[in-house]
């Protein structure tokens, strides 16, 4: 972004302040190329605004990222972050329950949300016509400060969350395995409990607990609003400043999170589950997404599982016929996370054989990857990078995720340059560090009859 462009953005912030009556400050700007760029602005109450112009179509996406996920919860009140994802679609002091959803549907779109370990975000995408933008700003700023929290609303949404947990964890083999794996791999860090909820904790929560959580985390100084699309910068900033400027900042008492100690012994848990064939979940501790080695680990993960000719899939499914499926991935967490593998054994195959062959294949990564593998995974990474910038929604997702996690929206835009710096030596080193047996966590699910030796 040129110096002249920066001057225009600074002037736009000044003009927006003059129009709205609330000060809005230009913070920084970054341009990847002629088509992709963004600027960060900050209101006096601490709200961060990321504006990314995109004139390819008359649409815009609007995202509100709150820096609160399951890792921020009280260990005795887990599930509140996910519960609030549901509560935020209920009523406010100014809008009746359901009005936001109906209004978005009337305008041809839907509003949705997601909660994870590090963040919660809410998003819409609409055309730029009429008063669509003003309407979204009105609803989003209102529910940031004026959410209705009462017993009836809490009780109704608690039942919804219970059903969601049953479907995604209790009645899901992969969900159960993943929950068990994280609890096994993390001994003290809050990543050890699931995002979706603990039913017991939610049932024990009080209305005061909910109000305190809301006041603490749903505040302008704990939020990032990302707007991408064909909108005028002065008009956009002015409307945001008018709507969010009067909101008060809150005291964010961040709960102290212990660092997970380095694992130095392999861990395993065997469980009984209603599975036809043995199911395995294997996890290795990995760096955080902002760590220098994360992209290197991503390339290694793709060598293992990206495509039918990927190493681990080829070895377990095609060559040895030990497994019917192998899936997994590297989790992009703000703090050190996991690389997960989900393996479904073929009938009559001993899980011990799968574990042994899998570890052997992982050990071989330390010897390096082939030229063809290197070219393939780098090309795939480049494609995924450009897909993350293909439209306003994808751009906003990228900017919001990194701003919420690391207070730096540019990280995701610079990953292609970081990719070029990864050497074969680094690939071998990271493979040795991550895929050590003493860094391994295994959960094996088998039927009761199989575990008892009756099959």
């Amino acid at each position: 972004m040129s110096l002249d462009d920066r001057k225009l953005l600074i002037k736009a912030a000044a003009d927006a302040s003059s129009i709205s009556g609330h000060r809005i400050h230009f913070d920084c700007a970054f341009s990847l190329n002629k088509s992709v760029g963004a600027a960060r602005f900050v209101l006096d109450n601490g709200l961060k605004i990321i504006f990314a112009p995109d004139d390819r179509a008359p649409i815009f996406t609007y995202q509100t990222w709150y820096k609160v996920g399951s890792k921020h919860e009280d260990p005795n009140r887990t599930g509140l972050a996910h519960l609030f994802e549901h509560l935020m679609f209920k009523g406010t002091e100014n809008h009746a329950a359901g009005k936001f959803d109906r209004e978005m549907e009337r305008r041809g779109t839907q509003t949705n949300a997601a909660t994870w370990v590090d963040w919660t975000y809410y998003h819409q995408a609409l055309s730029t016509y009429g008063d669509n933008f003003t309407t979204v700003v009105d609803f989003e700023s209102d529910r940031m400060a004026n959410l209705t929290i009462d017993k009836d609303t809490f009780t109704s949404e608690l039942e919804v969350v219970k059903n969601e947990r049953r479907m995604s964890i209790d009645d899901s083999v992969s969900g159960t395995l993943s929950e068990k794996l994280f609890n096994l791999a993390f001994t003290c860090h809050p990543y050890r409990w699931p995002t979706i909820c603990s039913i017991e904790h939610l049932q024990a929560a009080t209305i005061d607990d909910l109000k305190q959580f809301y006041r603490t985390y749903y505040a302008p100084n704990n939020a990032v609003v990302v707007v991408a699309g064909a909108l005028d910068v002065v008009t956009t900033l002015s409307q945001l400043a008018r709507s969010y400027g009067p909101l008060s900042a809150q005291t964010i008492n961040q709960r102290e999170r212990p660092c997970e100690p380095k694992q130095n012994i392999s861990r395993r848990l065997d469980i009984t589950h209603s599975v036809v064939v043995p199911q395995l979940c294997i996890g290795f501790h990995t760096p955080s997404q902002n760590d220098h080695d994360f992209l290197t680990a991503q390339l290694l993960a793709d060598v293992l599982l990206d495509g039918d000719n990927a190493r681990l899939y080829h070895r377990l499914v095609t060559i040895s016929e030990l497994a019917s499926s192998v899936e997994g991935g590297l989790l992009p967490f703000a703090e050190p996370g996991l690389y997960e593998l989900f393996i479904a054994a073929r009938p009559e195959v001993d899980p011990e054989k799968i574990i042994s062959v899998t570890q052997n294949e992982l050990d071989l990564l330390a010897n390096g990857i082939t030229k063809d593998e290197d070219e393939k995974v780098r090309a795939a990474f480049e494609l995924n990078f450009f897909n993350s910038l293909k439209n306003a929604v994808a751009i906003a997702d990228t900017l919001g995720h990194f701003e919420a996690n690391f207070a730096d929206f540019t990280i995701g835009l610079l990953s292609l340059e970081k990719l070029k710096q990864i050497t074969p030596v680094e690939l071998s080193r990271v493979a040795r560090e991550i895929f050590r047996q003493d860094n391994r966590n295994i959960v094996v699910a088998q039927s009761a009859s199989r575990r008892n030796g009756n099959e």
Side-chain angles (χ1 to χ4, degrees):
M1 188 166 289
S2 69
L3 179 60
D4 287 342
D5 289 335
R6 290 174 182 269
K7 289 179 178 178
L8 288 174
L9 289 170
I10 294 172
K11 184 178 185 302
D15 290 345
S17 297
S18 175
I19 295 172
S20 67
H22 294 277
R23 288 197 302 172
I24 184 166
H25 312 272
F26 168 75
D27 189 48
C28 69
F30 177 83
S31 179
L32 179 66
N33 51 44
K34 292 182 179 179
S35 302
V36 179
R40 180 169 59 219
F41 302 86
V42 184
L43 292 177
D44 279 347
N45 59 16
L47 179 74
K48 291 183 178 179
I49 299 166
I50 309 296
F51 179 79
D54 186 343
D55 296 326
R56 288 174 287 183
I59 62 173
F60 72 92
T61 184
Y62 192 103
Q63 300 183 356
T64 309
W65 293 73
Y66 292 94
K67 291 179 279 187
V68 56
S70 55
K71 76 178 183 185
H72 300 92
E73 296 167 339
D74 182 332
N76 298 310
R77 284 292 182 270
T78 65
L80 290 186
H82 176 246
L83 176 67
F84 265 91
E85 177 195 325
H86 290 257
L87 294 178
M88 286 287 281
F89 289 92
K90 310 308 287 183
T92 70
E93 295 175 9
N94 302 305
H95 297 102
K99 185 177 180 181
F100 192 13
D101 287 336
R102 292 192 296 272
E103 188 63 32
M104 291 299 100
E105 289 175 2
R106 187 178 74 81
R107 295 167 186 266
T109 190
Q110 291 183 327
T111 182
N112 214 330
T115 307
W116 213 13
V117 293
D118 300 310
W119 44 252
T120 303
Y121 89 117
Y122 303 83
H123 54 94
Q124 305 86 29
L126 299 95
S127 75
T128 57
Y129 301 141
D131 64 347
N132 282 347
F133 180 74
T134 301
T135 300
V136 171
V137 176
D138 175 57
F139 276 108
E140 288 291 7
S141 60
D142 181 40
R143 65 177 176 172
M144 180 182 284
N146 302 308
L147 189 68
T148 299
I149 302 175
D150 55 36
K151 184 176 180 180
D152 290 342
T153 301
F154 172 43
T155 302
S156 66
E157 289 309 305
L158 179 58
E159 291 306 310
V160 175
V161 171
K162 285 181 180 179
N163 289 330
E164 187 175 346
R165 179 185 167 88
R166 292 187 190 103
M167 289 188 295
S168 62
I169 295 183
D170 298 338
D171 296 336
S172 166
V173 179
S174 61
T176 297
L177 285 171
S178 184
E179 180 181 48
K180 299 291 187 185
L181 178 73
F182 273 79
N183 189 254
L184 180 68
F186 291 97
T187 61
C188 63
H189 191 279
Y191 284 163
R192 70 185 184 274
W193 58 73
T195 296
I196 189 165
C197 74
S198 162
I199 297 299
E200 294 78 10
H201 290 176
L202 284 185
Q203 288 178 326
T206 66
I207 296 300
D208 285 341
D209 291 334
L210 302 184
K211 290 181 177 180
Q212 181 59 42
F213 191 90
Y214 179 64
R215 283 194 298 268
T216 299
Y217 296 110
Y218 280 78
N221 51 317
N222 199 49
V224 179
V225 171
V226 183
V227 181
L231 295 169
D232 174 73
V233 62
V234 175
T235 303
T236 299
L237 295 179
S238 299
Q239 181 61 58
L240 292 172
R242 272 194 299 264
S243 298
Y244 288 96
L247 305 186
S248 300
Q250 300 295 328
T251 300
I252 311 297
N253 294 318
Q254 294 288 2
R255 188 176 302 278
E256 184 176 348
R257 294 188 296 277
C259 293
E260 185 65 29
K262 182 178 180 180
Q263 185 173 333
N264 54 23
I265 186 171
S266 182
R267 301 172 188 149
R268 175 168 172 168
L269 174 67
D270 289 87
I271 64 173
T272 299
H273 203 287
S274 56
V275 292
V276 178
V277 297
Q279 305 269 348
L280 298 86
C281 189
I282 305 175
F284 295 84
H285 289 278
T286 56
S288 70
Q289 192 179 17
N290 198 30
D291 188 280
H292 173 76
D293 289 336
F294 185 86
L295 288 184
T296 307
Q298 181 65 67
L299 293 184
L300 294 170
D302 290 346
V303 168
L304 290 170
L305 288 180
D306 188 16
D308 291 349
N309 290 322
R311 284 195 184 193
L312 195 55
Y313 184 93
H314 189 65
R315 179 80 177 274
L316 289 175
V317 178
T318 308
I319 300 299
S320 66
E321 297 185 341
L322 294 173
S324 59
S325 67
V326 184
E327 300 175 346
L330 180 64
L331 298 172
F333 288 177
E335 297 175 47
L338 290 180
Y339 173 66
E340 281 186 297
L341 290 171
F342 295 89
I343 305 172
R346 289 187 183 274
E348 307 305 325
V349 171
D350 187 348
E352 308 308 318
K353 180 64 174 177
I354 291 178
I355 293 170
S356 175
V357 172
T358 297
Q359 188 61 52
N360 176 257
E361 197 62 51
L362 296 174
D363 290 341
L364 291 174
L365 271 180
N367 297 331
I369 65 176
T370 68
K371 181 180 178 181
D372 287 346
E373 287 175 327
D374 189 79
E375 291 177 349
K376 172 192 168 185
V377 295
R378 288 177 187 268
F381 186 94
E382 289 180 3
L383 178 59
N384 289 333
F385 173 80
F386 291 121
N387 276 334
S388 72
L389 307 174
K390 65 183 178 182
N391 54 42
V393 173
I395 290 172
D397 285 343
T398 299
L399 300 177
H401 171 84
F402 285 99
E403 184 65 31
N405 270 0
F406 308 109
D408 186 355
F409 67 88
T410 70
I411 293 174
L413 303 178
L414 294 171
S415 58
L416 205 57
E417 289 302 313
K418 295 179 181 178
L419 178 71
K420 298 174 184 177
Q421 301 169 13
I422 298 174
T423 66
V425 172
E426 285 185 303
L427 285 165
S428 294
R429 173 183 60 79
V430 173
R432 282 193 301 272
E433 292 177 359
I434 290 178
F435 297 117
R436 310 183 324 269
Q437 286 196 43
D438 59 6
N439 188 40
R440 186 180 68 188
N441 300 273
I442 304 172
V443 181
V444 181
Q446 299 185 77
S447 64
S449 58
R450 182 160 184 143
R451 285 195 68 188
N452 294 330
N454 296 328
E455 289 188 0

